Each structure stands twice: as structure tokens, then as C-alpha cells.
Amino acid sequence: EVQLVETGGGLVQPGKSLKLTCATSGFTFSNAWMHWVRQSPEKQLEWVAQIKAKSNNYATYYAESVKGRFTISRDDSKSSVYLQMNSLKEEDTAIYYCTWGNSYWGQGVMVTVSS
Amino acid sequence: DIQMTQSPSVLSASVGDRVTLNCKASQNINKYLNWYQQKLGEAPKLLIYNTNNLQTGIPSRFSGSGSGTDFTLTISSLQPEDFATYFCFQHNSWNTFGAGTKLELK
């Protein structure tokens, strides 16, 4: 059974940092292209970042709204993908989902950026 | 950036109805259009990928069609568990979601 479990969310002040972790199982993670997608309190979905597999040189891509502030990475030995979020803004407040190829999704983790 | 416009934003229907949800891209996205269903408090679930391919385990009452810029999701006979919000998603050029169609009980 495919499983993706996100952790690391919480309440953080503007300008601070937070790191999300997505632990996976049930598929060959090392071959998988992984994504982070977020959903705002208004329920709008926004693709955030992607990381490809080793065979694609771990290429990464970002939405313009997070480029330069967020970093996606992976550890194939742990079947995990990460999202390092720096210089957080109030508009980054959302539920963050980890997805495998946009087909399978985790349950999401809430990130609230507020003073 | 490619914009995705879904219509209607809210659709009222009854159990047993045949319904069609629409998604329009601001430019050609070929066949690279997915449909997701989201229920309250849950993550989106993939229903249809690349316009008309049914994801494993999804009932055959769901179907997708279209090409280029105009796409539809059809539910042939609404079941009680189908009342939810539906999102389209293009992955031809970067990745963009539509704003969603809320399917509610009439």
C-alpha cells in the first residue's frame, strides 16, 4: 500500500523557517518524481515544487511564489522528501501535501505563518 | 503562466443525475489534464489522468474527455458519495490547478 506521511508543520512567525518531511512507503521511491502542493485557507490548490529522480540528476523546479525561499530535497535511503521553507510570509499559510507524481497524496500538514 | 478556469463554480444536482464539469485552459495543454476529487478534511484524490484515463480503483461512472484547451469530467449517474469538490490540473507546462467546482446536493 502506498503511504505518504507529512510532518513538521506548525505555527511560525513571518520571516522564520520551517522544514517539512514526507516519509513514504509502498513504492520504489528512488525512481519517483516527488512534489509538494499546498492548499490555502480559501481552498485554492497551488503546486509548489518538484524533485526528479537520481537518473534525472535530482532536477528541481519551483513555483515563482516560492523560488529563492523554499528548497526541495530528498533522501532515497530514507524514502523521504523534504521542503525547507525560509523567509516565510503570511501568504504561505496553507495545508502542505506531499505527492508522488501528483497521483498519490499524503494527508497534509498545516503551516500557519502569523505573528 | 497557463490559467485554468473551471465552470460552474457550484453545481447542484440529485442522486442519479448525469453531470458535466468543465475546465478551460488559457492555452493548449495537449492531453495533460488531470481531475481530482476532494472531500471535506481529506486530501485530493486522483480520478482521471491525461484527459481520459481512469485511475485504478475509480468507478467507471467517472469519465473525462477533451483536448487542447477544453476538457470535461462527466459523472454518468451521481451517487451519494460523489458530492465533493472537483479540481482540474494541467501538467503540460509547469503545473496549474483550477479553482474547483463544488458539487452539492440539490
Side-chain angles (χ1 to χ4, degrees):
Chain A
E1 180 190 6
V2 173
Q3 288 196 319
L4 302 96
V5 179
E6 303 95 336
T7 57
L11 173 63
V12 62
Q13 293 179 330
K16 300 296 188 181
S17 300
L18 204 61
K19 185 174 184 177
L20 305 182
T21 296
C22 173
T24 75
S25 61
F27 62 100
T28 305
F29 181 83
S30 58
N31 295 337
W33 293 6
M34 302 299 296
H35 303 251
W36 287 95
V37 175
R38 65 186 181 184
Q39 188 167 34
S40 68
E42 297 76 28
K43 303 303 182 186
Q44 178 63 51
L45 287 164
E46 179 186 21
W47 171 82
V48 173
Q50 178 190 25
I51 186 165
K52 294 187 175 181
K54 182 178 181 181
S55 57
N56 307 107
N57 297 316
Y58 298 124
T60 58
Y61 306 88
Y62 299 92
E64 284 298 322
S65 59
V66 307
K67 196 175 291 185
R69 300 188 298 123
F70 289 13
T71 301
I72 188 171
S73 61
R74 63 192 293 160
D75 185 338
D76 290 348
S77 69
K78 295 182 179 180
S79 297
S80 294
V81 62
Y82 309 95
L83 187 67
Q84 176 67 47
M85 304 185 292
N86 298 332
S87 303
L88 281 161
K89 305 174 181 180
E90 290 189 350
E91 52 264 40
D92 295 319
T93 294
I95 297 173
Y96 284 73
Y97 295 101
C98 160
T99 85
W100 167 30
N102 291 312
S103 298
Y104 294 89
W105 296 51
Q107 84 288 350
V109 63
M110 185 70 208
V111 172
T112 303
V113 184
S114 174
S115 53
Chain B
D1 289 5
I2 297 176
Q3 309 301 316
M4 305 300 293
T5 303
Q6 290 189 242
S7 62
S9 55
V10 179
L11 179 59
S12 298
S14 302
V15 173
D17 284 354
R18 178 184 179 91
V19 297
T20 299
L21 286 62
N22 302 295
C23 181
K24 186 175 184 66
S26 60
Q27 58 186 271
N28 182 14
I29 58 169
N30 298 297
K31 64 177 182 177
Y32 299 108
L33 189 285
N34 296 354
W35 288 97
Y36 297 85
Q37 176 194 67
Q38 188 177 32
K39 297 181 179 179
L40 199 62
E42 297 182 6
K45 179 170 69 174
L46 179 65
L47 301 176
I48 303 282
Y49 62 94
N50 294 345
T51 298
N52 56 9
N53 296 280
L54 197 65
Q55 175 71 343
T56 303
I58 301 301
S60 59
R61 62 180 180 273
F62 292 92
S63 63
S65 63
S67 65
T69 60
D70 293 284
F71 300 85
T72 60
L73 172 70
T74 299
I75 309 173
S76 60
S77 179
L78 270 175
Q79 298 302 300
E81 61 269 28
D82 298 337
F83 293 96
T85 300
Y86 293 82
F87 294 94
C88 63
F89 169 74
Q90 71 82 17
H91 55 106
N92 179 73
S93 174
W94 295 105
N95 300 274
T96 317
F97 288 90
T101 292
K102 183 179 181 180
L103 181 54
E104 63 177 27
L105 186 61
K106 185 184 289 184

